[in-house]
Amino acid sequence: MGDPKEAGAEASPPGAATRGGLSLLSQAESEEPSAQGSALFLGGNEVKSRAVVKYSSAPPRTAFARLEEKTDLKLPPANWLRESAKLGPAGTTILGNSKKSKPFSSFGMAYDFIDSVGNDVDVVSDSETGDWTWLKEFYQRLIDQKWQRKKKSKEHWYQKAILSKFLYYSINGDGAAQPVPSPAEQQESSSSDQSHESEGASWPAPFEMPSSVSEDPSASSQGLKNDFVRNILWTFEDIHMLVGSNMPIFGGGRYPAVSLRLRDNNKPINVLTGIDYWLDNLICNVPELVMCFHVNGIVQKYEMIKTEEIPNLENSNFSTKVIKDIAQNILSFLKSNCTKEGHTYWLFKASGSDIVKLYDLTTLCEETEDKYQNPFTMPVAILLYKVACNMMMKKNQNKKHYGTIRTLLLNCVKLLDKSRHPQIIASANYMLSELFQLDEPKKEESSDSPLNENSDESYSEEEEEMPDSDENGTYSTSSDPADDNKAVAIIKSVGELSVPEKYKSIHQIRPSCAFPVCHDTEERCRLVLSYVLEGLKSVDSSIKKESDLPAADPSTPIPLKYEDESTRGGPEGLEKQMALFLDKMGSLQKGNCSRQSGMTPGSWQHKMKLQLILKSSKAYYILSDAAMSLQKYGRALRYIKLALQSHDTYCCLCTNMLSEVLLFLSQYLTLCGDIQLMLAQNANNRAAHLEEFNYQTKEDQEILHSLHRESSCQGFAWATDLSTDLESQLTVSCKCYEAANEILQFSDLKSQNPEHYVQVLKRMGNIRNEIGVFYMNQAAALQGERVVSKSVSAAEQQLWKKSFSCFEKGIHNFESIDDATNAALLLCNTGRLMRVCAQAHCGAEDEFKREFSPEEGLYYSKAVDYYLKALRSLGTRDMHPVVWDSVNWELSTTYFTMATLQQDYAPLSRKAQEQIEKEVSEAMMKSLKHCDVDSATARQPLCQYRAATIHHRLASMYHSCLRNQVGDEHLRKQHRVLADLHYGKAAKLFQLLRDAPCELLRVQLERVAFAEFQMTSQNSNVGKLKTLSGALDIMVKTEHAFQLIQKELVEECDQPKNDEATPAADSSPNLNREEVIKLLSIFESRLSFLLLQSIKLLSSSKRKMSSNTEEDTVLQTNKQIYSQLLRATANRNSTLLERIEVVICLLEQLASGSSMSNSSAAP
């Protein structure tokens, strides 16, 4: 940014343009020319120029007063240096004093038009040259000690006074010469202006204006205020400039817009002055120039010149194309060489020299022994800050600009003095942390996206005044070294600038503003926390209070609490801590708060620290969630503890808790509950979790140190301790969820965040299920340890109550959110609890006097009720097949257990046998109803085994009833039919199973026994033979069972030979050899008996009847098999496998003989 020219700087007209506060004018209200711009055709070459007035404080234009010939301009007019309605509110600040232009006014203008600076402006410049005293002293001290500036002559000041009086005459219009105002009046005017000038500047922060800059007295002394009459967005060819101008513009009558100039008739207009006039008119979009000529202060004549004719004036001819090329080359030269971010550069050309040099002021100042203070540092830093603020505050800011914003803020922080500007540094670090979206998945930006379209940090300052022989002072230099080693770059000759595209830029001022790509969540959060820490340090350093904490060493770890449950007072102590927490939350809703620091509520420190602490809590929350997903539960608990400590500090500072922050707290506690639950379920890795929990980074320690300045950070200690006790961990997890739910009730957050509310209730239901199962398992363990026949203990009953209460609350949680599936699962677990209670009463009696007790019946009936409720909750199997099948299975098991216990331990002391049999039958049939044997699921073999067992038990029961019952023939027949039916179904189902050969063999043997029982009641030989034949057919059907047993025995024998270490894949470790031997012995006995009876009956029948080929064949077969069986059973040295093989061989012969007899009997 530079102030390229000085002409008229202190003598500008107060007419239509006066210094004062800026005001926004709509296009209809603006007195400036059309904002659409114009294209002027000059000298046959087209020059594109477009000027848009952004702001103007100029009063309505008035026509200039044409002075009469011979008017003496040496005499002051009556209105000289006085305010006037025509001048606007501060007209005298332009013409009435000799104060110098503010050196940093361009910065002030940039601050006021941040949108333009951040988007489409190449250059921000003052249209007048300021007083660059510091630059001149700097050049002389560090670069060329022989360089001297010539003082301005008396002639120069004389011409300035003449110009000032001429412009006041032109406004006054009466032409009368009046005495000059008294010195007192001048002093009054001057002091008025000085008070106006001393107004402080202020800079925007993300949420409010930081006061640290506005309170800095150096801000006003540096002249950072934008007090131009008009600010113009000027496009000259492809160069976009934001220009401030105080040039007076007159209008009215024949001339809607003209500029007014005073010239000495004896001095011709030179080229530089012509360029000056032409550019001024282009910048302000003024079409005409009025020239007043004088001789020794006496007005001679006026001349009207069109703007496009100025380049063709006599003695002032210049090419507009050359001007365009020079401007483009200078800008390209700067873009190519001003490459260090945040540095200040100075483009310098000494008077009378063709060499142009570019200096890096920042580097030169840093290299001096006394660190020569660079006055540009502060304005540049504030500009970077303001541009970044403006880009951040745009709601729809494209993320591709985040790299630019980050670069701006990092350089701002680098330039500022931390001790003098803590607010801006804290705010900048907070904005840096805001660039990283913690609540969104990482999206890598495209590498070819535009990283930077502006050049906000780097700029050029051209202090050198454009020499004009009759108006400007000049500089002289005794030396002009072309090989200046302190210059960044050098243009060896000004003539080079007129060569088209001589310095065409192929570089960006900030070549790399890429936003850092974070490869994982932890890296992103750690960057955020590093910025938060710097912001907290800035805030803390600005707080001065006597009661500051003792000098704690930030490098000393703050111990993280780790204690056993025995030292905490158990769940009762936890309940008290929860009550205190909820009471605290209620007080926060009412606006009560407490804090240890000396910060004043509402101060920038207070507000900024709140935002930084909240940001740290979010970052720690995201870190905890990421660690949770990696199953690093100790680390996750450490991070969530830090998040809750941050939030606790926030609560201590906050005067009015926002609903959004309460929602964050609910989310934190929900995650904390998840972590405690996972720690409880992964107790095997407790040592590793403990190590991760106790680890602390230096960054975390320093953040905690800042937090402890405001709070003890113990508000959530009850939720974040790593306990060694399983019950305590589950209880803490539950309390976290309960607290999260309670928070949602405070401001009706549950209706505003229904998804989170549902998740919290689901977790509450789940943890209550976990705790209920924990207590249920404890009760079952106590039951297993109890001495037989001992009554149920009070400890067991207490555990039942706790478990039932948890299940009941969990069911209510799920039902309140219409989660029928999970409600059904908890109802199922409640049913299981009832079964545990029933089993406890089962073991409370003497085994020898054992009967199915009423208490058992009561609890089993309750279990059935809960299972049925679970099925009603699900509605149909289609809702959730897996859960439906599970509940059905449990219900079937309950019915089966009830029936089995009643059958095995019949309560004959309380009920009749018939009633017991009826209840057993009903329970078995209900169990069978809920046992799905047809669906091809993983549980199908179990269901088939269960169904087969039920049929077997029912058949055995009816068989027993038939044996013991006397009298009622109809009932006996019914029992006979039912027994035969269930034996058949049991055998069929066991036949489907590969791992139940013993059960199949037992059923078949019972069927044989049933046939034998029936044969005892038969009198005719024909009936007996028929029954015997059926029994032998049943024996033949046992071959499948023996084949399965044989296979398993062979696999057991072959296993050591093939692979001693690995068991065979199909081997059954459940084969009970003793049971097989027992059943084999029974089988051999019964087969022998049946064959013998068959032989006897067939032999007897043969003697009485004629020869029968079929019976003869059967008789001979049975004799052979009987003979072989006797020999086999007589051999006591046979192994089990050999005996099985013999049986299989005999059964095959028996089956073959049976088939031959059947075929010979066919007609």
Side-chain angles (χ1 to χ4, degrees):
M1 299 169 198
D3 300 320
K5 27 194 205 71
E6 183 182 6
E10 285 127 2
S12 302
T18 56
R19 296 186 185 233
L22 296 180
S23 61
L24 177 63
L25 297 177
S26 67
Q27 188 171 338
E29 297 170 327
S30 175
E31 290 297 321
E32 300 299 329
S34 169
Q36 298 302 317
S38 62
L40 304 181
F41 297 88
L42 307 175
N45 296 322
E46 181 181 357
V47 176
K48 297 176 184 177
S49 174
R50 181 174 182 266
V52 178
V53 178
K54 302 290 287 184
Y55 290 92
S56 174
S57 61
R61 290 193 193 124
T62 59
F64 69 93
R66 185 182 291 268
L67 303 183
E68 294 181 2
E69 191 176 347
K70 306 301 182 183
T71 299
D72 189 354
L73 298 178
K74 295 189 292 296
L75 299 176
N79 63 343
W80 195 40
L81 308 182
R82 292 189 178 183
E83 292 187 2
S84 166
K86 296 180 181 180
L87 304 181
T92 55
T93 62
I94 291 181
L95 304 180
N97 61 53
S98 59
K99 71 181 184 66
K100 299 175 182 178
S101 297
K102 298 177 181 178
F104 298 105
S105 54
S106 295
F107 283 100
M109 182 167 53
Y111 300 159
D112 288 336
F113 298 98
I114 289 297
D115 274 334
S116 297
V117 172
N119 291 320
D120 53 3
V121 170
D122 298 307
V123 178
V124 181
S125 177
D126 186 347
S127 65
E128 287 87 27
T129 301
D131 180 50
W132 300 106
T133 305
W134 181 87
L135 282 174
K136 297 158 189 171
E137 293 176 352
F138 177 84
Y139 184 83
Q140 185 176 20
R141 176 180 176 182
L142 297 182
I143 300 174
D144 188 358
Q145 297 181 358
K146 298 180 180 180
W147 179 85
Q148 294 290 334
R149 179 193 178 188
K150 289 186 176 180
K151 294 183 178 180
K152 294 183 179 180
S153 63
K154 292 182 180 180
E155 175 66 18
H156 168 78
W157 299 114
Y158 168 75
Q159 294 295 339
K160 296 290 251 184
I162 289 290
L163 175 61
S164 176
K165 294 170 186 176
F166 163 70
L167 291 173
Y168 272 95
Y169 271 121
S170 298
I171 291 172
N172 191 38
D174 54 11
Q178 299 291 338
V180 177
S182 65
E185 294 179 62
Q186 294 186 42
Q187 181 64 30
E188 181 182 353
S189 173
S190 177
S191 62
S192 173
D193 174 73
Q194 302 241 350
S195 63
H196 174 75
E197 181 186 4
S198 64
E199 293 178 2
S202 60
W203 326 117
F207 303 101
E208 69 166 320
M209 300 289 184
S211 58
S212 63
V213 176
S214 59
E215 294 168 359
D216 185 356
S218 66
S220 59
S221 64
Q222 289 180 342
L224 289 169
K225 188 172 179 59
N226 172 21
D227 52 7
F228 297 110
V229 168
R230 66 182 64 79
N231 302 119
I232 301 161
L233 191 59
W234 180 39
T235 302
F236 182 68
E237 289 297 317
D238 59 346
I239 304 173
H240 304 283
M241 293 174 273
L242 180 62
V243 181
S245 174
N246 288 326
M247 186 181 80
I249 300 176
F250 296 87
R254 294 167 48 195
Y255 312 110
V258 298
S259 59
L260 194 60
R261 300 288 181 173
L262 180 65
R263 295 296 305 177
D264 190 331
N265 203 27
N266 295 326
K267 297 179 181 179
I269 301 175
N270 63 22
V271 173
L272 292 179
T273 302
I275 293 174
D276 188 7
Y277 294 167
W278 180 68
L279 290 175
D280 275 344
N281 276 19
L282 285 184
I283 290 171
C284 296
N285 221 13
V286 175
E288 293 178 299
L289 165 68
V290 174
M291 195 86 73
C292 177
F293 293 91
H294 74 95
V295 176
N296 295 327
I298 306 300
V299 174
Q300 301 296 315
K301 63 177 179 177
Y302 282 85
E303 183 178 340
M304 183 75 69
I305 305 170
K306 292 185 178 298
T307 300
E308 61 264 33
E309 295 173 354
I310 295 176
N312 300 320
L313 290 177
E314 185 180 357
N315 298 320
S316 183
N317 291 335
F318 59 89
S319 169
T320 57
K321 183 177 180 302
V322 170
I323 302 300
K324 177 192 72 172
D325 292 337
I326 291 173
Q328 290 175 334
N329 279 325
I330 289 176
L331 185 59
S332 296
F333 175 78
L334 292 174
K335 284 187 174 182
S336 297
N337 294 286
C338 301
T339 57
K340 292 186 179 180
E341 297 168 351
H343 280 222
T344 307
Y345 292 85
W346 178 30
L347 191 65
F348 173 76
K349 174 185 169 298
S351 178
S353 171
D354 279 346
I355 298 175
V356 180
K357 301 176 184 178
L358 182 68
Y359 295 102
D360 183 345
L361 297 181
T362 304
T363 301
L364 291 175
C365 287
E366 290 174 351
E367 289 175 352
T368 58
E369 293 181 0
D370 55 352
K371 298 294 182 183
Y372 201 56
Q373 181 62 41
N374 182 353
F376 295 93
T377 299
M378 173 69 177
V380 170
I382 299 304
L383 179 59
L384 303 183
Y385 174 79
K386 289 174 72 70
V387 172
C389 277
N390 184 64
M391 297 177 76
M392 281 288 289
M393 294 172 73
K394 292 180 180 177
K395 294 181 180 178
N396 299 323
Q397 176 66 54
N398 193 318
K399 289 185 180 178
K400 71 179 181 181
H401 293 144
Y402 277 13
T404 301
I405 296 172
R406 177 175 175 270
T407 303
L408 292 170
L409 292 171
L410 288 175
N411 282 295
C412 169
V413 171
K414 182 180 177 181
L415 291 171
L416 287 175
D417 184 344
K418 292 183 179 181
S419 62
R420 294 183 61 194
H421 305 291
Q423 182 180 4
I424 298 180
I425 291 176
S427 179
N429 277 291
Y430 175 71
M431 285 193 287
L432 282 166
S433 72
E434 280 288 286
L435 291 174
F436 296 85
Q437 300 299 310
L438 295 178
D439 53 350
E440 295 180 4
K442 175 178 68 68
K443 297 179 181 178
E444 294 188 9
E445 298 290 342
S446 174
S447 60
D448 58 354
S449 61
L451 301 176
N452 176 45
E453 298 173 357
N454 306 315
S455 54
D456 303 326
E457 296 108 304
S458 302
Y459 56 91
S460 64
E461 288 289 356
E462 187 176 357
E463 186 278 340
E464 180 63 26
E465 298 176 0
M466 298 179 68
D468 186 346
S469 60
D470 59 348
E471 289 188 357
N472 295 321
T474 59
Y475 294 93
S476 65
T477 176
S478 57
S479 63
D480 190 12
D483 56 346
D484 189 347
N485 58 4
K486 294 184 178 180
V488 174
I490 295 176
I491 300 174
K492 296 182 179 179
S493 174
V494 176
E496 294 179 356
L497 295 174
S498 61
V499 178
E501 299 186 352
K502 171 70 175 179
Y503 292 97
K504 185 176 181 180
S505 174
I506 58 173
H507 305 284
Q508 292 183 346
I509 291 182
R510 287 191 302 273
S512 177
C513 292
F515 196 68
V517 176
C518 299
H519 299 288
D520 55 29
T521 301
E522 183 165 3
E523 184 181 352
R524 185 164 70 251
C525 291
R526 278 294 165 194
L527 275 173
V528 168
L529 289 171
S530 67
Y531 294 131
V532 167
L533 176 58
E534 291 304 314
L536 289 173
K537 287 179 177 178
S538 295
V539 173
D540 292 341
S541 67
S542 69
I543 301 173
K544 306 294 182 182
K545 65 187 185 77
E546 296 178 359
S547 59
D548 220 338
L549 292 177
D553 182 6
S555 63
T556 302
I558 297 174
L560 294 173
K561 204 171 182 182
Y562 171 74
E563 56 185 355
D564 194 272
E565 174 62 21
S566 59
T567 64
R568 287 177 40 166
E572 294 78 10
L574 189 61
E575 292 285 351
K576 292 179 181 178
Q577 294 181 59
M578 268 290 297
L580 290 172
F581 161 70
L582 293 175
D583 180 65
K584 177 182 178 182
M585 295 307 300
S587 68
L588 286 173
Q589 285 295 104
K590 299 174 184 177
N592 299 327
C593 65
S594 60
R595 54 190 165 273
Q596 298 176 3
S597 77
M599 287 192 299
T600 305
S603 64
W604 75 263
Q605 291 98 333
H606 181 259
K607 293 181 179 180
M608 183 53 65
K609 192 158 190 176
L610 276 175
Q611 295 299 328
L612 290 167
I613 291 173
L614 188 60
K615 191 69 178 182
S616 71
S617 72
K618 291 180 185 178
Y620 282 127
Y621 168 72
I622 300 298
L623 281 170
S624 179
D625 187 56
M628 180 77 170
S629 65
L630 295 174
Q631 299 182 355
K632 301 292 185 180
Y633 305 122
R635 185 193 308 173
L637 184 62
R638 168 165 56 91
Y639 283 138
I640 201 64
K641 179 167 187 173
L642 289 165
L644 288 169
Q645 285 177 320
S646 298
H647 205 286
D648 185 37
T649 306
Y650 183 93
C651 293
C652 291
L653 292 175
C654 187
T655 56
N656 184 23
M657 188 69 71
L658 299 175
S659 58
E660 178 189 9
V661 178
L662 285 174
L663 177 61
F664 289 153
L665 180 55
S666 178
Q667 292 170 341
Y668 299 170
L669 288 169
T670 302
L671 179 58
C672 188
D674 293 346
I675 296 167
Q676 292 284 10
L677 175 58
M678 297 312 297
L679 284 167
Q681 294 178 348
N682 292 270
N684 293 336
N685 275 338
R686 181 168 285 131
H689 297 323
L690 179 60
E691 183 179 357
E692 289 179 344
F693 178 70
N694 287 328
Y695 176 78
Q696 269 189 316
T697 66
K698 183 178 180 181
E699 193 173 70
D700 295 338
Q701 294 167 18
E702 292 181 335
I703 290 175
L704 268 177
H705 177 68
S706 179
L707 298 179
H708 278 104
R709 290 173 61 92
E710 317 299 337
S711 164
S712 64
C713 300
Q714 294 299 311
F716 299 96
W718 57 270
T720 55
D721 290 336
L722 180 55
S723 174
T724 59
D725 180 72
L726 179 59
E727 180 184 359
S728 173
Q729 287 176 319
L730 292 173
T731 305
V732 168
S733 177
C734 185
K735 295 302 177 185
C736 286
Y737 295 138
E738 289 175 359
N741 183 48
E742 288 293 332
I743 290 168
L744 294 176
Q745 315 298 325
F746 283 133
S747 299
D748 198 27
L749 285 171
K750 65 179 182 180
S751 61
Q752 301 170 19
N753 303 274
E755 292 183 4
H756 178 62
Y757 176 65
V758 168
Q759 288 301 316
V760 170
L761 285 183
K762 276 190 175 183
R763 283 167 163 79
M764 285 176 65
N766 177 63
I767 190 60
R768 283 167 171 165
N769 176 59
E770 292 285 339
I771 297 174
V773 170
F774 170 78
Y775 287 136
M776 179 170 63
N777 291 338
Q778 278 198 324
L782 283 179
Q783 176 186 322
E785 296 170 0
R786 188 188 346 132
V787 179
V788 177
S789 77
K790 189 176 181 181
S791 61
V792 178
S793 66
E796 285 181 81
Q797 294 180 348
Q798 189 65 25
L799 289 171
W800 295 345
K801 290 178 181 178
K802 288 181 177 180
S803 179
F804 180 77
S805 174
C806 290
F807 287 141
E808 195 173 39
K809 290 177 181 177
I811 292 167
H812 175 72
N813 292 145
F814 287 125
E815 288 178 344
S816 65
I817 56 175
D818 298 324
D819 189 343
T821 302
N822 281 317
L825 285 172
L826 263 73
L827 285 165
C828 189
N829 278 340
T830 310
R832 183 182 161 206
L833 174 64
M834 296 300 105
R835 287 162 58 191
V836 169
C837 296
Q839 291 165 9
H841 287 90
C842 163
E845 297 184 14
D846 190 346
E847 186 68 21
F848 297 102
K849 301 177 182 179
R850 174 87 168 89
E851 281 192 358
F852 186 73
S853 65
E855 290 81 8
E856 289 178 86
L858 174 64
Y859 282 115
Y860 278 121
S861 297
K862 286 184 177 181
V864 167
D865 290 340
Y866 282 112
Y867 289 130
L868 290 173
K869 284 181 182 179
L871 290 178
R872 287 195 295 271
S873 175
L874 291 171
T876 62
R877 186 176 185 273
D878 294 338
M879 183 174 181
H880 203 299
V882 175
V883 177
W884 176 274
D885 292 344
S886 178
V887 175
N888 254 320
W889 173 255
E890 295 296 331
L891 180 55
S892 172
T893 303
T894 305
Y895 279 127
F896 177 74
T897 305
M898 286 176 65
T900 302
L901 290 173
Q902 280 186 294
Q903 190 176 14
D904 295 345
Y905 305 100
L908 295 172
S909 63
R910 295 183 291 108
K911 296 180 181 180
Q913 180 71 32
E914 292 78 7
Q915 184 182 357
I916 294 172
E917 291 172 357
K918 181 181 178 181
E919 290 179 358
V920 169
S921 177
E922 289 176 350
M924 286 291 189
M925 295 309 294
K926 288 178 180 177
S927 176
L928 201 58
K929 175 185 174 184
H930 294 284
C931 190
D932 184 5
V933 296
D934 299 321
S935 298
T937 63
R939 194 180 273 118
Q940 187 182 30
L942 286 175
C943 291
Q944 290 174 339
Y945 185 88
R946 167 73 53 75
T949 305
I950 290 172
H951 285 298
H952 181 198
R953 278 186 164 271
L954 285 173
S956 298
M957 184 182 74
Y958 290 128
H959 186 180
S960 177
C961 291
L962 188 62
R963 281 176 175 276
N964 299 326
Q965 194 166 13
V966 180
D968 193 341
E969 189 60 31
H970 174 73
L971 190 59
R972 283 176 60 82
K973 183 178 180 181
Q974 184 179 5
H975 285 166
R976 186 184 300 112
V977 171
L978 289 172
D980 188 58
L981 173 68
H982 286 297
Y983 273 134
K985 290 185 176 180
K988 182 180 178 181
L989 286 168
F990 278 131
Q991 196 90 14
L992 298 173
L993 300 171
R994 298 179 56 190
D995 55 351
C998 293
E999 287 82 352
L1000 175 58
L1001 186 57
R1002 187 181 297 108
V1003 168
Q1004 299 292 39
L1005 287 174
E1006 285 190 25
R1007 290 180 73 188
V1008 170
F1010 181 65
E1012 291 177 1
F1013 174 74
Q1014 286 181 296
M1015 192 172 64
T1016 59
S1017 63
Q1018 293 175 330
N1019 297 320
S1020 67
N1021 287 343
V1022 175
K1024 288 182 178 181
L1025 277 172
K1026 186 177 181 180
T1027 302
L1028 281 171
S1029 177
L1032 287 171
D1033 285 342
I1034 294 172
M1035 285 296 199
V1036 170
K1037 292 177 181 177
T1038 61
E1039 183 182 357
H1040 177 68
F1042 283 115
Q1043 287 174 341
L1044 292 175
I1045 294 172
Q1046 180 193 30
K1047 182 181 178 182
E1048 292 191 21
L1049 290 173
V1050 170
E1051 288 176 351
E1052 286 182 7
C1053 293
D1054 293 344
Q1055 181 182 334
K1057 299 177 183 177
N1058 298 332
D1059 188 355
E1060 296 184 2
T1062 306
D1066 295 331
S1067 66
S1068 174
N1070 296 323
L1071 185 64
N1072 190 332
R1073 281 177 166 268
E1074 292 183 1
E1075 186 178 9
V1076 171
I1077 293 171
K1078 180 181 177 182
L1079 290 172
L1080 179 60
S1081 299
I1082 295 173
F1083 178 85
E1084 291 171 340
S1085 169
R1086 300 329 300 162
L1087 179 59
S1088 175
F1089 172 78
L1090 291 174
L1091 288 171
L1092 179 60
Q1093 293 301 315
S1094 173
I1095 292 170
K1096 287 181 179 179
L1097 286 173
L1098 287 173
S1099 299
S1100 172
S1101 172
K1102 185 177 180 182
R1103 287 194 297 268
K1104 294 179 181 179
M1105 300 177 62
S1106 59
S1107 177
N1108 188 319
T1109 306
E1110 178 186 349
E1111 290 185 354
D1112 288 345
T1113 304
V1114 172
L1115 179 59
Q1116 292 301 319
T1117 301
N1118 289 353
K1119 283 182 178 180
Q1120 291 176 6
I1121 295 172
Y1122 182 67
S1123 175
Q1124 294 177 34
L1125 179 61
L1126 289 177
R1127 285 196 299 270
T1129 53
N1131 185 4
R1132 298 181 178 272
N1133 296 324
S1134 300
T1135 63
L1136 178 60
L1137 182 58
E1138 291 172 344
R1139 291 174 64 185
I1140 296 290
E1141 290 173 347
V1142 169
V1143 168
I1144 292 174
C1145 180
L1146 294 175
L1147 290 176
E1148 287 176 349
Q1149 294 179 37
L1150 190 60
S1152 175
S1154 176
S1155 63
M1156 288 176 62
S1157 65
N1158 289 336
S1159 61
S1160 63

